[in-house]
Amino acid sequence: MPPEAAPTGAAKLPHVVLMSMGGTIASRATDRLNITNYGGPGVPRVDPQDWIHDLPELAYIARVTTEDFRAPPGRAAGSEIYDDLVVVARRLNELAREPDVDGIVVTHGTNIMAEVAFYMNLVVKTHKPIVFVGSQRPWTGLSGDGPLNLYNAVRVAASKDAWNKGVLHCMNQNINAARDVMKTSAYRMQTFKGVDVGPLGFADPDRVVFYREPLRRHTFNSEFAGRAYPQVPDVEVAYGYQEAPGYLIDAMVAHGAQGVVIDGIGAGSATASQTEAIKRAQAKGVVVVMTTRTRSGRVQMTPRRAESHIVAGDNLQPEKARLLLQLALTKTHDIKEVQRIFDEY
């Protein structure tokens, strides 16, 4: 990568806020070859200011300020809850309204990063770029991907070409839409992909380049954006497989679920037992959305699905369909209106 030209004045550079929500990119290990069993008691985390110190190259592309939204030390890994999303979404909406802020980078753990980014894509009202980034290896790992990922994410957030594209995801030099991206491999660098539609563009060494834009509603034209959702209706996910039982859906409803996403087989189908449980759930006012475990291809609205009053989840991954259904249910339980929302987002 060619070196950036020296800045003529920091005040003229774009202002990018770097927000840490933790993750592997904010982790250290006991040695450089430890790239899978890092962090834990006695191992210091990477503070946001450490990134600034370790990446002096950032000063050539943006004025970077930091904010720390990591979970407190000692809290179990993977214990992120909906309340955390509410706090971050509120802050992102505040930052988006500040005229001095040109873009935002959010670091996050890769396990649920795609769905958290999609939630922000729905609830943050802004034309400015918000870029999620993480790493597959800890900050201290040999050949760690974190430094270049973070550098490129700041480049994307500082780019005027990234405006009006909703929340983005940038890792391994690929720029994907938050709606489309998913993690496809546990450890490999090329894990994040837009399986059906591919990347929007790339953070290439010479410049950030885009080739297309998202067409589904997001951020500044989302009907859910710009307001807080301290609580949302409970929605659960039921997985489809041979002889998958319906009693799990019954249990979800008994525990208060107002919506159920079926991660169906094939083009979006439930087992016979699940189908009977779906009818029982619908009789109690529960909204059911169908996705497919294939992770590629749309669940379409067919005559049979329409007769069954099941919402077609398009090509959304089930965890993202769950978030969209939660927000939809804050507005309506009408099946046709929920289907309209899934068709537009």
Side-chain angles (χ1 to χ4, degrees):
M1 180 174 292
E4 298 281 351
T8 57
K12 297 180 181 179
L13 293 173
H15 176 200
V16 173
V17 177
L18 175 56
M19 176 187 292
S20 176
M21 291 185 71
T24 299
I25 197 170
S27 300
R28 302 182 193 275
T30 52
D31 62 76
R32 295 209 308 156
L33 293 178
N34 182 350
I35 59 174
T36 59
N37 189 31
Y38 40 84
V43 183
R45 301 188 295 179
V46 180
D47 295 328
Q49 59 268 26
D50 294 336
W51 288 322
I52 306 299
H53 175 269
D54 293 349
L55 291 176
E57 295 86 354
L58 293 176
Y60 292 89
I61 56 174
R63 290 185 296 117
V64 180
T65 58
T66 61
E67 300 204 359
D68 195 346
F69 280 77
R70 291 174 296 173
R75 182 165 141 182
S79 60
E80 188 169 300
I81 58 176
Y82 180 76
D83 289 349
D84 298 322
L85 303 191
V86 174
V87 171
V88 172
R90 182 182 298 115
R91 182 56 181 153
L92 288 176
N93 271 301
E94 292 171 351
L95 289 171
R97 290 192 292 267
E98 293 185 10
D100 181 50
V101 173
D102 298 295
I104 305 166
V105 171
V106 182
T107 71
H108 197 285
T110 59
N111 288 348
I112 61 170
M113 180 194 300
E115 59 199 278
V116 172
F118 180 60
Y119 179 80
M120 302 307 167
N121 195 55
L122 297 172
V123 302
V124 179
K125 195 174 187 68
T126 183
H127 292 266
K128 301 173 183 179
I130 298 175
V131 184
F132 271 71
V133 67
S135 69
Q136 290 288 82
R137 296 173 180 171
W139 192 255
T140 52
L142 185 67
S143 295
D145 54 327
L148 186 57
N149 282 348
L150 185 58
Y151 177 77
N152 282 334
V154 173
R155 290 174 65 212
V156 174
S159 171
K160 276 292 184 181
D161 292 336
W163 283 53
N164 300 317
K165 292 179 175 61
V167 176
L168 302 172
H169 177 277
C170 182
M171 284 179 60
N172 203 36
Q173 295 184 274
N174 295 321
I175 306 169
N176 283 286
R179 181 197 183 277
D180 305 322
V181 73
M182 65 176 291
K183 187 173 183 178
T184 65
S185 175
Y187 298 112
R188 306 294 178 248
M189 300 299 102
Q190 72 278 16
T191 178
F192 281 98
K193 300 176 182 178
V195 175
D196 264 347
V197 295
L200 301 179
F202 306 94
D204 281 335
D206 59 336
R207 65 187 179 98
V208 172
V209 58
F210 287 92
Y211 291 96
R212 61 184 187 86
E213 295 185 352
L215 295 180
R216 296 300 182 98
R217 293 177 64 178
H218 59 74
T219 53
F220 61 86
N221 64 4
S222 169
E223 64 200 86
F224 306 107
R227 52 167 292 206
Y229 296 87
Q231 291 182 319
V232 289
D234 288 337
V235 174
E236 302 298 342
V237 178
Y239 190 67
Y241 54 92
Q242 184 184 19
E243 298 182 335
Y247 68 78
L248 296 177
I249 297 173
D250 292 332
M252 294 170 182
V253 176
H255 280 78
Q258 296 183 39
V260 174
V261 176
I262 309 295
D263 196 23
I265 58 177
S269 298
T271 64
S273 181
Q274 286 179 322
T275 298
E276 293 305 311
I278 288 170
K279 293 176 182 177
R280 293 190 292 270
Q282 290 171 326
K284 297 179 180 179
V286 175
V287 177
V288 178
V289 173
M290 182 64 70
T291 63
T292 172
R293 71 181 195 180
T294 62
R295 301 296 177 267
S296 178
R298 291 175 51 241
V299 171
Q300 303 172 30
M301 178 50 69
T302 63
R304 182 180 299 177
R305 190 163 287 126
E307 292 170 3
S308 301
H309 306 291
I310 293 175
V311 175
D314 201 86
N315 67 346
L316 281 176
Q317 297 117 45
E319 61 273 20
K320 293 180 181 178
R322 171 180 174 268
L323 291 167
L324 182 57
L325 182 55
Q326 285 181 310
L327 291 173
L329 292 177
T330 66
K331 298 171 65 71
T332 182
H333 280 66
D334 180 77
I335 296 299
K336 291 184 178 179
E337 182 63 5
V338 175
Q339 185 65 66
R340 189 271 305 170
I341 290 170
F342 272 80
D343 289 342
E344 294 181 1
Y345 292 84

